[in-house]
Amino acid sequence: MAIRHLTHLPSYSKLFPFIRLPRRTPILSSLTFSSTLTTMASASQKVLVPIANGTEPMEAVIIIDVLRRAGADVTVASVEKELRIEASWGLKLVADALISDCAETTFDLISLPGGMPGSTTLRDCGVLEGMTKKHVAEGRLYSAICAAPAAVLGSWGLLNGLRATCHPSWMEKLSTAATVVESRVQQDGRVVTSRGAGTAMEFSLALVEQLYGKDKADEVAGPMVMRSHHGGDYTMTELNSVEWTFNNTPQILVPIANGSEEMEAVMIIDILRRANANVVVASVEDTLDILASRKVKLVADMLLDEAAKLPFDLIVLPGGLGGAQAFSSSEKLMNLLKKQRDSNKPYGAICASPALALEPNGLLKGKKATAYPAMCNKLSDPSEAENRVLVDGNLITSRGPGTSIEFSLAIVEKLFGREKALDTAKSLVFTNPK
């Protein structure tokens, strides 16, 4: 059996200069703060993440998910008139509260996701502006990513005299409000800024470190199957290579369920839609509203019963323990996947789903696969399970949240070719723009 190792992107050491913190401190090394800030690690920290129509969903969901993993009490607040917002790329999220409900609450951190027009809507929200300026004046932590450092914090005068970074397309605007630094994550005093969806995990871990310290950041990073450094190549291992074919625009089904891993689901949907695939998000529950594993509230496009009537070129399962178990219990979904396999059409899964959904339903028979590290012992053939992304013919599997971007880009490459994958990676600021 031939094994083909594909190096898709240049070395991380060339693409990702190390995240620059003061004195070039690495992302997960200790930061020096005032005694007031360092004592914050002892209790559950209160974090505000405001969202709006047009917010970048990967950024918002990764921030929420990672901080909740660390034990933070995260409030997702809509600055719109409704709790439900339509984020970029057609993803629908439901906030925990309206921003007006949070006006009198004291938070330890306010973290702004980017996206357009979400960032400008955050900027124009008087309640949020007042809260944030008061928060900063009281010496508390604040952060922003993508367009938000320039469009929001810079516009409010909260970056004056500070070093900051943002999305490449907003760097000129940022230069009028801060000292611009082209690092993936930049910390200066009490503010942390970052570049985009492809840097959101690094950004979120920097926030964990500020709130809870280096040990907690390391503890959170490990189970996400993140790389320990940005040095290594982005590779996928491919066995029994076949061409993935489709007519016109590829039709992709992404099922979600209560307990699905929200980072994985959102990254898959977002990235495939960026690549211009037609992605249908289908709930395997009795309702469109889904409560994901870290309590992020997602809204599906349709129920699985409706989606089952449609043809799909690819079916991809996100992970999450509860979600994977729900997938495995869904006879309709398993039948769709078996038809997909029998028709020699591509299908895939990440994290818990290869082991808990595909394996017990015979969908890995004769195939090599990987899965979340703690569940690889459930695979009938774990011989290739150490790979971050593994393709075996029409099957693609991957390990966890920290491999989701690589997994999604590998799917883009199989569907559209390498150049499309590279262009998509650049749009995420997963690779550094030239």
Side-chain angles (χ1 to χ4, degrees):
M1 182 178 293
I3 299 178
R4 185 162 67 100
H5 291 274
L6 301 179
T7 300
H8 294 276
L9 303 178
S11 169
Y12 266 57
S13 61
K14 295 179 180 178
L15 290 173
F16 299 172
F18 285 113
I19 300 162
R20 289 196 283 272
L21 301 174
R23 303 176 190 238
R24 300 187 181 273
T25 307
I27 182 69
L28 293 181
S29 64
S30 297
L31 304 178
T32 301
F33 298 101
S34 69
S35 59
T36 300
L37 295 179
T38 55
T39 59
M40 293 168 60
S42 60
S44 177
Q45 306 300 300
K46 295 181 69 65
V47 179
L48 176 69
V49 179
I51 59 174
N53 293 330
T55 287
E56 213 322 306
M58 279 178 60
E59 294 163 3
V61 169
I62 290 170
I63 293 167
I64 298 161
D65 186 315
V66 172
L67 287 171
R68 284 179 174 166
R69 284 171 181 260
D73 177 7
V74 180
T75 298
V76 184
S78 169
V79 304
E80 307 287 352
K81 295 180 180 179
E82 308 283 343
L83 291 177
R84 175 172 162 172
I85 66 105
E86 182 151 336
S88 301
W89 312 106
L91 275 149
K92 305 174 188 71
L93 307 175
V94 179
D96 303 318
L98 298 176
I99 192 66
S100 56
D101 299 330
C102 305
E104 302 304 318
T105 303
T106 298
F107 293 95
D108 299 293
L109 166 67
I110 294 177
S111 190
L112 310 181
M116 292 297 291
S119 293
T120 53
T121 303
L122 297 184
R123 178 198 66 196
D124 296 339
C125 175
V127 174
L128 179 62
E129 180 179 1
M131 289 177 65
T132 306
K133 287 183 174 178
K134 180 175 182 289
H135 176 93
V136 173
E138 291 173 346
R140 300 180 186 277
L141 304 172
Y142 60 111
S143 65
I145 188 171
C146 192
V152 189
L153 296 183
S155 295
W156 291 344
L158 297 179
L159 294 177
N160 293 340
L162 298 173
R163 289 157 58 88
T165 191
C166 68
H167 192 275
S169 64
W170 282 84
M171 291 294 270
E172 184 175 352
K173 173 73 173 176
L174 182 65
S175 67
T176 65
T179 300
V180 170
V181 181
E182 291 191 7
S183 50
R184 292 174 63 79
V185 178
Q186 177 65 40
Q187 181 265 331
D188 192 346
R190 291 172 288 104
V191 64
V192 179
T193 52
S194 189
R195 308 213 80 186
T199 67
M201 281 195 177
E202 301 150 61
F203 172 66
S204 300
L205 285 171
L207 301 181
V208 171
E209 184 169 341
Q210 289 200 59
L211 290 171
Y212 294 102
K214 179 184 184 301
D215 288 347
K216 175 60 75 171
D218 289 342
E219 178 187 321
V220 171
M224 294 197 301
V225 204
M226 291 189 67
R227 293 179 183 273
S228 60
H229 58 85
H230 298 300
D233 291 328
Y234 161 43
T235 63
M236 73 177 179
T237 298
E238 184 162 18
L239 318 175
N240 305 310
S241 179
V242 297
E243 184 178 358
W244 292 8
T245 60
F246 57 90
N247 295 320
N248 302 315
T249 302
Q251 309 297 305
I252 301 174
L253 174 64
V254 179
I256 57 175
N258 292 331
S260 285
E261 214 309 312
E262 46 268 85
M263 280 197 287
E264 294 166 357
V266 168
M267 281 189 264
I268 293 165
I269 297 161
D270 182 315
I271 292 171
L272 293 178
R273 284 179 173 167
R274 282 175 189 261
N276 297 319
N278 181 25
V279 179
V280 172
V281 183
S283 168
V284 304
E285 309 291 350
D286 296 329
T287 175
L288 295 178
D289 294 327
I290 294 298
L291 188 63
S293 63
R294 306 291 164 181
K295 309 307 179 187
V296 171
K297 300 165 188 173
L298 307 174
V299 183
D301 301 323
M302 62 181 70
L303 298 179
L304 184 64
D305 284 348
E306 184 180 354
K309 301 172 186 176
L310 305 173
F312 292 100
D313 300 296
L314 170 67
I315 300 174
V316 186
L317 308 184
L321 180 60
Q325 291 170 336
F327 294 155
S328 186
S329 299
S330 170
E331 184 177 356
K332 188 176 293 291
L333 178 58
M334 291 302 109
N335 285 338
L336 285 175
L337 282 161
K338 288 171 183 176
K339 289 179 182 177
Q340 193 82 0
R341 175 201 59 193
D342 295 344
S343 300
N344 293 318
K345 291 184 176 181
Y347 60 103
I350 187 170
C351 194
S353 287
L356 298 186
L358 299 187
E359 178 68 47
N361 286 281
L363 289 159
L364 296 183
K365 187 176 181 180
K367 295 285 189 180
K368 306 282 187 181
T370 187
Y372 189 72
M375 295 185 180
C376 286
N377 60 355
K378 297 182 182 297
L379 301 175
S380 56
D381 184 352
S383 60
E384 295 289 338
E386 293 299 316
N387 291 289
R388 292 175 66 81
V389 180
L390 179 63
V391 181
D392 187 353
N394 284 318
L395 172 70
I396 182 167
T397 53
S398 190
R399 309 212 81 185
T403 69
S404 295
I405 291 181
E406 300 159 68
F407 176 62
S408 302
L409 289 174
I411 292 172
V412 171
E413 176 157 343
K414 287 297 295 181
L415 291 171
F416 297 104
R418 183 182 179 191
E419 288 306 311
K420 185 68 169 182
L422 290 170
D423 287 345
T424 304
K426 188 180 294 185
S427 76
L428 296 163
V429 204
F430 185 65
T431 58
N432 291 326
K434 296 179 180 178

